[in-house]
């Protein structure tokens, strides 16, 4: 007595039909024609209701979730960023060297930056930020310094925004003076943070060249992050003292302020004058320091 084959369930039959459909798609894409003999229409043929069976159409009554999930996985695989190997597998060290060279020229070579160099620096920082987001870039201490240099350029955007606000409220002398000082402080913070971080990069390159094994425990990602935070906090504190000069223009004696607050404001004014007297010598020392390090690195005698 022959046993009748158990009928397949609707879901199993739909799965088998779907596998047959994918084989037809692959064969039609390879040979250049569709299953009905017409010209090849690419991926758009998948969605033609006359080419698909009714139960495999995107508008289905049963199994719609499985079909749409398979199509979603196919599209996700096509949109995978790892497929763009031309960008992820290229040597980004050359891009980092060009970026650092541009920043050295912008902050440590030119006496004052102009609008063209500033815009070039902004676009370069945006490009470097995109590179640092790539998984192929190693997370080392130098990458931490470069990331903070790129972040420092966001202060330029704050300076431009403050200049726009100052132009709008120029009728109010008090607010206009506050915005003018704020714009200058954004520029000062950008220059000082970038200069100090570039000096850290030069020092790290010097240590890698001459003392690689002795300084391995110092040249870590954690140390780079700590140094970067110290630089940011120091420069922000400096700019805070500069911003307090707006209160000095109002006249402390004309304001009914407590004596302790007046003493604190006078201390800030004195600290501001002291900082301004040290800014030029510190900038000159940083320039000489970087020139010396580059001389020792690139003009060292060959072994």
């Amino acid at each position: 007595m022959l046993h009748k084959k158990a009928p397949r369930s609707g879901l199993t039959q739909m799965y088998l039909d779907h596998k047959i459909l994918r084989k037809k798609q692959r064969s039609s894409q390879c040979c250049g024609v569709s299953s009905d003999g017409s010209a090849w229409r690419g991926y758009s043929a998948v969605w033609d209701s006359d080419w698909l069976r009714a139960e495999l159409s995107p508008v289905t009554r049963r199994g719609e979730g499985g079909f749409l999930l398979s199509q979603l996985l196919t599209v996700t695989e096509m949109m995978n960023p790892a497929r763009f190997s031309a960008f992820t597998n290229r040597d980004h060290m050359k891009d980092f060297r060009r970026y650092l060279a541009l920043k050295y020229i912008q902050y440590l070579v030119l006496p004052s930056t102009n609008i063209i160099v500033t815009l070039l620096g902004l676009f370069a920082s945006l490009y470097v930020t995109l590179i640092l987001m790539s998984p192929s870039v190693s997370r080392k201490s130098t990458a931490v310094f470069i990331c903070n240099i790129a972040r420092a350029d966001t202060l330029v955007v704050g300076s431009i925004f403050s200049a726009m606000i100052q132009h709008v409220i120029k009728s109010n002398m008090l607010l206009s003076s506050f915005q003018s000082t704020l714009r200058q402080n954004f520029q000062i913070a950008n220059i000082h943070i970038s200069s100090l971080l570039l000096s850290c990069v030069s020092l790290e390159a010097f240590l890698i060249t001459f003392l690689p094994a002795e300084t391995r425990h110092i040249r870590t990602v954690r140390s780079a992050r700590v140094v970067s935070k110290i630089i940011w906090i120091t420069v922000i504190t400096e700019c805070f003292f500069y911003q307090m000069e707006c209160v000095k223009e109002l006249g402390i004696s004309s304001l009914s302020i407590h004596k302790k607050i007046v003493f604190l404001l006078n201390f800030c004014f004195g600290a501001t004058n002291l900082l301004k007297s040290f800014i030029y010598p510190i900038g000159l020392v940083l320039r000489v320091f970087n020139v010396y390090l580059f001389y020792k690195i690139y003009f060292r005698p060959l072994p």
Side-chain angles (χ1 to χ4, degrees):
M1 182 176 181
L2 297 176
H3 295 282
K4 294 183 180 180
K5 185 182 293 186
R8 296 191 180 114
S9 62
L11 185 61
T12 304
Q13 184 64 36
M14 185 190 65
Y15 175 72
L16 294 174
D17 292 343
H18 181 61
K19 290 183 64 177
I20 297 172
L21 170 65
R22 294 302 295 264
K23 290 181 180 179
K24 289 182 180 180
Q25 291 177 12
R26 294 192 189 98
S27 61
S28 63
Q29 291 170 9
C30 293
C31 64
V33 295
S34 60
S35 59
D36 57 355
S38 60
W40 178 64
R41 292 172 290 178
Y43 287 101
S44 62
V46 177
W47 303 103
D48 293 342
S49 59
D50 56 346
W51 194 70
L52 294 177
R53 295 182 51 157
E55 63 268 21
L56 295 179
S57 178
V59 183
T60 57
R61 296 180 180 177
R62 298 178 62 182
E64 179 183 2
F67 179 80
L68 294 179
L69 180 60
S70 63
Q71 297 298 324
L72 180 61
L73 291 176
T74 305
V75 174
T76 304
E77 183 181 357
M78 293 174 58
M79 298 298 294
N80 188 3
R83 298 172 65 92
F84 302 99
S85 58
F87 179 78
T88 57
N89 295 335
R90 64 172 296 176
D91 185 13
H92 295 299
M93 291 305 299
K94 295 181 180 179
D95 298 328
F96 288 150
R97 293 191 191 100
R98 296 189 187 101
Y99 176 71
L100 291 175
L102 175 63
K103 287 301 176 179
Y104 276 115
I105 294 173
Q106 181 179 356
Y107 295 112
L108 297 175
V109 176
L110 296 178
S112 60
T113 58
N114 51 27
I115 186 64
I116 297 177
V117 178
T118 302
L119 290 178
L120 286 176
L122 281 175
F123 286 119
S125 297
L126 179 60
Y127 177 70
V128 167
T129 304
L130 294 177
I131 292 177
L132 291 172
M133 294 171 62
S134 174
S136 61
V137 178
S138 60
R139 299 296 183 264
K140 295 183 179 180
S141 55
T142 307
V144 175
F145 289 130
I146 293 175
C147 181
N148 281 274
I149 293 172
R151 288 176 182 174
D153 273 359
T154 57
L155 299 172
V156 178
V157 180
S159 175
I160 297 173
F161 186 69
S162 297
M164 295 171 59
I165 295 178
Q166 180 185 358
H167 182 73
V168 173
I169 59 174
K170 59 183 179 180
S171 58
N172 192 329
M173 296 300 296
L174 178 60
L175 293 178
S176 179
S177 175
F178 179 83
Q179 288 295 331
S180 176
T181 308
L182 185 63
R183 178 177 58 84
Q184 294 175 4
N185 286 331
F186 275 125
Q187 296 176 352
I188 290 172
N190 176 37
I191 294 173
H192 290 182
I193 290 173
S194 300
S195 300
L196 291 172
L197 290 172
L198 288 171
S199 301
C200 292
V201 173
S202 302
L203 179 60
E204 186 180 24
F206 177 82
L207 295 177
I208 292 173
T209 305
F210 294 98
L211 301 170
E214 295 84 349
T215 60
R216 191 183 302 274
H217 65 285
I218 301 175
R219 296 180 288 103
T220 60
V221 175
R222 182 176 180 275
S223 300
R225 289 174 179 172
V226 170
V227 172
S228 300
K229 288 180 181 180
I230 292 174
I231 290 174
W232 277 90
I233 292 172
T234 303
V235 175
I236 289 174
T237 304
E238 173 196 0
C239 293
F240 172 76
F241 286 136
Y242 292 160
Q243 192 68 31
M244 293 299 295
E245 287 188 334
C246 295
V247 183
K248 187 177 181 180
E249 297 178 358
L250 297 176
I252 301 177
S253 58
S254 61
L255 300 175
S256 57
I257 305 177
H258 196 270
K259 292 183 179 181
K260 293 183 179 180
I261 299 179
V262 173
F263 175 78
L264 181 61
L265 290 176
N266 289 326
F267 173 77
C268 292
F269 298 152
T272 302
N273 295 328
L274 185 63
L275 283 173
K276 287 183 177 180
S277 63
F278 279 106
I279 289 302
Y280 181 77
I282 291 175
L284 185 61
V285 168
L286 285 178
R287 285 178 169 85
V288 174
F289 177 72
N290 283 274
V291 170
Y292 173 76
L293 292 180
F294 278 109
Y295 173 79
K296 294 293 290 184
I297 292 172
Y298 292 103
F299 295 97
R300 68 183 186 275
L302 297 176

